[in-house]
């Protein structure tokens, strides 16, 4: 969650454990998102396909903990005891994991926007129409209209996140996604409402907030396992880490590609912040960092404001099967 959005102060990065953190492996208050666009997600693979990840971290609807990881299932990671400081297994050259075809890493919008360096000239999959569809789904839900029909953009499967921000300062308002590849039509429909209504860090979204919203769709691509925990580029790669905490339990956590750059963090600060978000409370040493299993990935990101959505819809009102009146335009207060 963003600094200033819910009264959460920006996280202080330190290799020392947070004060008063001698307790269990659950996330503490320091495990909240810091930074307006920080996206953190929970455990991968331990929750099964379709696990809902709290957008900038934690399992959706995750009760007391707003940290960015899930506890492992029973029998995973075993009880207390020592922590092996050996490097992660299968530590070879980066291994490309099974994902859709390679994609560029950008953060486009309807207006020209800065984008990350691209490995090639492959056409972007993410589009403004995807953000419009998310606005359609949310608008129809809040006003009780029939949900929009199947959109025209591609229905290929991708891991995805839907992020909502609000106001001129673009405070985080909700962000939940999944690392399980989902068909985009059903995936965006599901995570539009999940991120808007079920992010446990925020109350459900209301009609009054619509005119001040920004919607971002992130499609995750190019997953690679790497040996060196520093083998990723700030502003280009998202990272997902897996580590064994001080109680011997496996934990994972992630930051989307834009987080480190927007927070002004270097590699070490990002890794240490992610460990704290994952509930690691012991002192962070360089030896421990070397035991982290790190996966880097890229994303395609599109962001649309409510005003841009209205302008787009005024020209393509029925093109996407929308059967409800256009929402009234409201200027920002």
């Amino acid at each position: 969650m963003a600094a200033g959005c819910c009264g959460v102060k920006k996280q202080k990065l330190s290799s020392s454990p947070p004060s008063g953190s001698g307790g269990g492996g659950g996330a503490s208050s320091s495990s909240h998102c810091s930074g307006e666009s920080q996206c953190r997600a929970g455990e991968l693979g331990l929750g099964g396909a379709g696990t809902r990840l709290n957008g900038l971290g934690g399992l959706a609807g995750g009760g007391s903990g707003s940290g960015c990881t899930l506890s492992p299932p029973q029998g995973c990671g075993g009880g207390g005891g020592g922590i092996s400081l050996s490097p992660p297994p299968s530590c070879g050259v980066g291994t490309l994991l099974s994902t859709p075809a390679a994609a560029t890493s950008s953060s486009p919008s309807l207006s020209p926007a800065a984008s990350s360096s691209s490995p090639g000239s492959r056409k972007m999959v993410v589009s403004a129409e995807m953000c419009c569809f998310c606005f359609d789904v949310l608008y129809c839900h809040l006003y009780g209209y029939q949900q929009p029909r199947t959109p025209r953009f591609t229905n290929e499967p991708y891991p995805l996140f839907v992020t909502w921000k609000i106001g001129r300062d673009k405070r985080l308002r909700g962000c939940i996604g999944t690392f399980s590849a989902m068909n985009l039509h059903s995936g965006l429909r599901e995570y539009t409402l999940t991120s808007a209504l079920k992010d446990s860090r925020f109350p459900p979204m209301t009609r009054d907030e619509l005119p001040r919203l920004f919607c971002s769709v992130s499609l995750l691509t190019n997953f690679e396992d790497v040996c060196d925990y520093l083998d990723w580029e700030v502003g280009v790669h998202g990272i997902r880490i897996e580590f064994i905490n001080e109680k011997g339990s496996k934990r994972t956590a992630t930051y989307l590609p834009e987080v480190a750059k927007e927070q002004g963090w270097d590699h070490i600060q990002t890794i240490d912040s992610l460990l704290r978000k994952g509930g690691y409370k012991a002192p962070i040493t360089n030896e421990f960092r070397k035991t982290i299993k790190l996966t880097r990935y890229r994303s395609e990101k599109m962001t649309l404001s409510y005003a841009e959505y209205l302008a787009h819809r005024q020209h393509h009102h029925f093109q996407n099967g929308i059967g409800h009146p256009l929402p009234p335009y409201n200027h920002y207060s």
Side-chain angles (χ1 to χ4, degrees):
M1 53 184 71
C5 177
C6 300
V8 178
K9 295 182 180 179
K10 273 199 173 182
Q11 180 186 12
K12 295 181 180 179
L13 301 179
S14 170
S15 60
S16 300
S19 59
S21 65
S28 66
S29 60
S30 65
S31 296
H32 291 233
C33 268
S34 57
E36 71 177 33
S37 68
Q38 172 179 322
C39 275
R40 54 187 175 78
E43 173 64 34
L44 276 210
L46 297 181
T51 298
R52 294 176 178 178
L53 304 178
N54 228 357
L56 314 175
L59 185 63
S64 60
S66 55
C68 57
T69 63
L70 305 179
S71 299
Q74 196 169 25
C76 179
I83 301 171
S84 172
L85 293 182
S86 57
S90 304
C91 186
V93 179
T95 304
L96 185 64
L97 303 183
S98 176
T99 62
T104 54
S105 174
S106 303
S107 299
S109 68
L110 288 185
S111 307
S115 61
S116 306
S117 56
S118 155
S121 57
R122 179 184 176 275
K123 184 179 179 181
M124 297 284 290
V125 174
V126 73
S127 67
E129 187 63 28
M130 294 180 186
C131 295
C132 285
F133 179 66
C134 293
F135 268 116
D136 287 340
V137 169
L138 179 61
Y139 182 88
C140 288
H141 176 84
L142 293 177
Y143 280 88
Y145 291 112
Q146 183 178 354
Q147 282 293 308
R149 294 191 291 270
T150 302
R152 296 185 176 185
F153 53 77
T154 180
N155 196 31
E156 293 179 56
Y158 281 88
L160 60 92
F161 276 79
V162 176
T163 304
W164 298 99
K165 296 181 184 177
I166 191 167
R168 291 185 179 275
D169 54 351
K170 298 182 180 180
R171 304 183 309 276
L172 182 66
R173 186 60 181 84
C175 181
I176 296 178
T178 177
F179 282 92
S180 299
M182 293 188 68
N183 293 104
L184 289 177
H185 295 173
S186 59
L188 290 177
R189 192 185 297 270
E190 175 179 346
Y191 283 98
T192 290
L193 296 180
T194 301
S195 59
L197 306 173
K198 298 182 180 179
D199 189 325
S200 60
R201 298 165 294 169
F202 305 100
M205 214 167 276
T206 65
R207 296 180 187 179
D208 293 340
E209 294 176 285
L210 273 170
R212 297 183 290 137
L213 289 177
F214 296 80
C215 178
S216 296
V217 171
S218 298
L219 307 183
L220 312 187
T221 65
N222 295 36
F223 287 79
E224 295 176 292
D225 283 331
V226 296
C227 175
D228 188 344
Y229 71 93
L230 298 175
D231 188 11
W232 55 279
E233 186 175 345
V234 172
V236 173
H237 295 108
I239 58 171
R240 184 186 72 202
I241 65 169
E242 181 180 300
F243 62 95
I244 304 298
N245 69 10
E246 62 274 15
K247 292 197 170 186
S249 299
K250 182 190 296 183
R251 309 291 293 218
T252 70
T254 192
Y255 279 144
L256 295 179
E258 62 267 25
V259 174
K261 183 176 181 180
E262 292 183 356
Q263 294 302 306
W265 294 340
D266 60 22
H267 289 74
I268 298 295
Q269 289 174 315
T270 306
I271 292 292
D272 289 359
S273 172
L274 203 46
L275 285 168
R276 295 301 184 211
K277 295 276 186 289
Y280 188 72
K281 301 181 184 303
I284 300 173
T285 65
N286 196 48
E287 288 72 23
F288 181 76
R289 295 186 189 103
K290 291 177 181 178
T291 70
I292 293 170
K293 179 180 179 182
L294 187 141
T295 301
R296 67 187 185 191
Y297 59 88
R298 296 176 182 245
S299 76
E300 297 182 7
K301 181 182 177 183
M302 177 68 74
T303 299
L304 221 62
S305 69
Y306 183 78
E308 289 171 323
Y309 158 67
L310 289 183
H312 190 85
R313 278 291 172 255
Q314 284 168 356
H315 290 93
H316 307 89
H317 183 33
F318 291 100
Q319 198 174 64
N320 196 32
I322 301 171
H324 61 77
L326 278 172
Y329 179 76
N330 292 309
H331 291 277
Y332 289 107
S333 56

